[in-house]
Amino acid sequence: MNRLTAAIAASGFACFALLYTPQPVMPQIAAEYGLGPGSASLALSAATLALAVVVVPIAMLSERLGRRPVIVVSVLVAALLGLVLPFAPNYEVFLGLRVLQGVAAAGVPAASMAYLADALDKKKLGAAMGAMIAGNSLGGMSGRLVTGMTVDWLGWRGSVLLAGVFGLVAALVVVFFLPKAQAMPKRAPKGMKAALKDPVLLSMYAIAVLLVGTFISFYNVAGFQLSGPAWLETLVFLFYGFGSTAAAFAGRLADRFGRGKVLLLCIGVLALGALASLVWVPLGLAIVTAGFFASHTTASGWVAARAPEHARGHASGLYLAGFYVGSSIGGTSGATAYEEWGWGGLVLVILGWLALAAMLVVCSQSSPVNSAPSGASRGTAPTPPYARCEGVGAAPRATRLDTKWTGEG
């Protein structure tokens, strides 16, 4: 892993650690304020919904200011707010600070995908995207473990403060190690139009909503479903290690075999995990975690490879908007379904979301190639015919005439 990829991974680590630290202590927050699972989930949804609202404007801002300044300022401000958050005097102020933290953190997901797409060859993009999302996975796991493992001793406020310190350390790594961009990103006034008119990109945005809603819903209510000390229940977040491994592996598979096929496989793994949770919740969570991070790696890589060069920031921002809409609205909807119908009802809702996501992938695989992406007008070779059966934007397969291509980053 080079300096660029390591710094981007650290930015994802910090962002996800800070965003998701309240999740394992939701039962404690609910007990203190007399809340149900649906209301307590706002401790997470307030930040992710705010992020979803501003991620596209910030992605557009990164087109003009450059990716690196946006990433650095974003991760630092989010980390500083993480240190203030535990001192909120009541739940309303807590939610207000979470909204601000979500706005501050938006620059990391808004600019990171486009930063990698600008800096790397497409043959290396899948592996780098896997490393970035592996950092996201490790950050989400670490932030949750810090709060969940210490809440019985420090209280939820002390555990959230400790997680904020970890987030600040990761943010400083980004400040000192993220390389300066060699050139400002190319800008075009029709970038947003290009990001919105492509049916494959539109499908990826919707798929992000469905997949993230699935994942966050399970973890939002896991603490209410499981019984035992908080530190013991928190061990389920160790499954994020599976997510980190699956993300890196899926990135390489997508580079080699095509994103459409790999994404369908990942959605199947998610469905299997949902069904397995009916037998034993921890087993289901382990499978769901691996399937989610693998699918997120594949879908986000598809967006970065598919989008025209001048619209990468816009497309990345729209994808991440879908991601965090799923995290906020989807996560709260899942928690409400659990509150009304129990774990079995939640699983049925999740399976419906996954079926819709799979249908969108199938439609994307059969979608025609972009008629004239930005690179085509500058003399770039058109996408070869095999891309049509792999899903547009898929990396080329190895052939006898291309013996150096192995699918590795």
Side-chain angles (χ1 to χ4, degrees), residues 103-123:
V103 171
V108 173
S112 295
M113 288 168 58
Y115 185 102
L116 289 177
D118 289 340
L120 298 175
D121 183 89
K122 284 189 177 182
K123 290 184 178 181

Side-chain angles (χ1 to χ4, degrees), residues 18-339:
L18 293 165
L19 280 176
Y20 292 104
T21 49
Q23 194 172 47
V25 296
M26 281 182 186
Q28 289 77 17
I29 294 174
E32 179 169 337
Y33 295 110
L35 307 171
S39 298
S41 70
L42 292 175
L44 177 61
S45 297
T48 54
L49 183 59
L51 192 155
V53 170
V54 303
V55 68
V56 174
I58 291 180
M60 297 172 66
L61 184 65
S62 76
E63 297 279 355
R64 299 197 170 273
L65 299 181
R67 319 287 190 204
R68 186 184 188 279
V70 170
I71 293 171
V72 168
V73 171
S74 178
V75 74
L76 273 178
V77 174
L80 293 175
L81 284 169
L83 299 178
V84 176
L85 185 66
F87 300 100
N90 53 55
Y91 192 53
E92 289 73 20
V93 174
F94 180 86
L95 291 181
L97 288 172
R98 287 288 290 164
V99 168
L100 293 176
Q101 192 174 39
V103 171
V108 173
S112 295
M113 288 168 58
Y115 185 102
L116 289 177
D118 289 340
L120 298 175
D121 183 89
K122 284 189 177 182
K123 290 184 178 181
K124 298 180 180 180
L125 182 59
M129 202 69 70
M132 181 189 77
I133 295 175
N136 298 349
S137 172
L138 290 173
M141 179 182 70
S142 300
R144 290 165 164 105
L145 285 175
V146 168
T147 52
M149 296 292 287
T150 61
V151 65
D152 287 336
W153 297 276
L154 300 178
W156 70 264
R157 295 180 187 272
S159 63
V160 169
L161 178 62
L162 184 60
V165 173
F166 276 83
L168 181 60
V169 171
L172 293 176
V173 172
V174 178
V175 172
F176 289 109
F177 288 94
L178 185 64
K180 293 183 179 180
Q182 295 181 355
M184 290 288 288
K186 294 180 174 64
R187 301 186 296 271
K190 297 183 179 179
M192 181 58 74
K193 182 179 179 180
L196 287 171
K197 73 178 183 179
D198 186 342
V200 174
L201 292 176
L202 292 174
S203 293
M204 292 303 109
Y205 310 151
I207 287 169
V209 175
L210 296 167
L211 297 184
V212 181
T214 294
F215 176 68
I216 296 299
S217 292
F218 276 125
Y219 275 97
N220 274 354
V221 301
F224 296 94
Q225 178 72 12
L226 300 172
S227 58
W231 67 267
L232 183 60
E233 296 172 12
T234 303
L235 292 179
V236 298
F237 292 106
L238 288 173
F239 297 149
Y240 269 57
F242 298 139
S244 178
T245 302
F249 185 60
R252 296 181 182 276
L253 284 180
D255 281 343
R256 187 164 188 174
F257 297 109
R259 295 178 176 88
K261 291 180 180 179
V262 174
L263 186 51
L264 282 175
L265 175 63
C266 295
I267 292 173
V269 172
L270 275 165
L272 177 64
L275 292 172
S277 72
L278 295 172
V279 179
W280 190 37
V281 171
L283 174 62
L285 288 176
I287 299 173
V288 163
T289 303
F292 167 70
F293 279 101
S295 63
H296 175 38
T297 296
T298 308
S300 60
W302 199 340
V303 169
R306 170 78 179 194
E309 185 177 1
H310 70 280
R312 281 175 180 163
H314 301 84
S316 297
L318 288 168
Y319 175 83
L320 270 301
F323 185 103
Y324 289 104
V325 165
S327 180
S328 53
I329 297 177
T332 297
S333 298
T336 302
Y338 170 78
E339 191 172 350

Side-chain angles (χ1 to χ4, degrees), residues 358-372:
M359 291 173 58
L360 290 171
V361 174
V362 172
C363 292
S364 296
Q365 287 182 293
S366 61
S367 178
V369 178
N370 282 338
S371 58

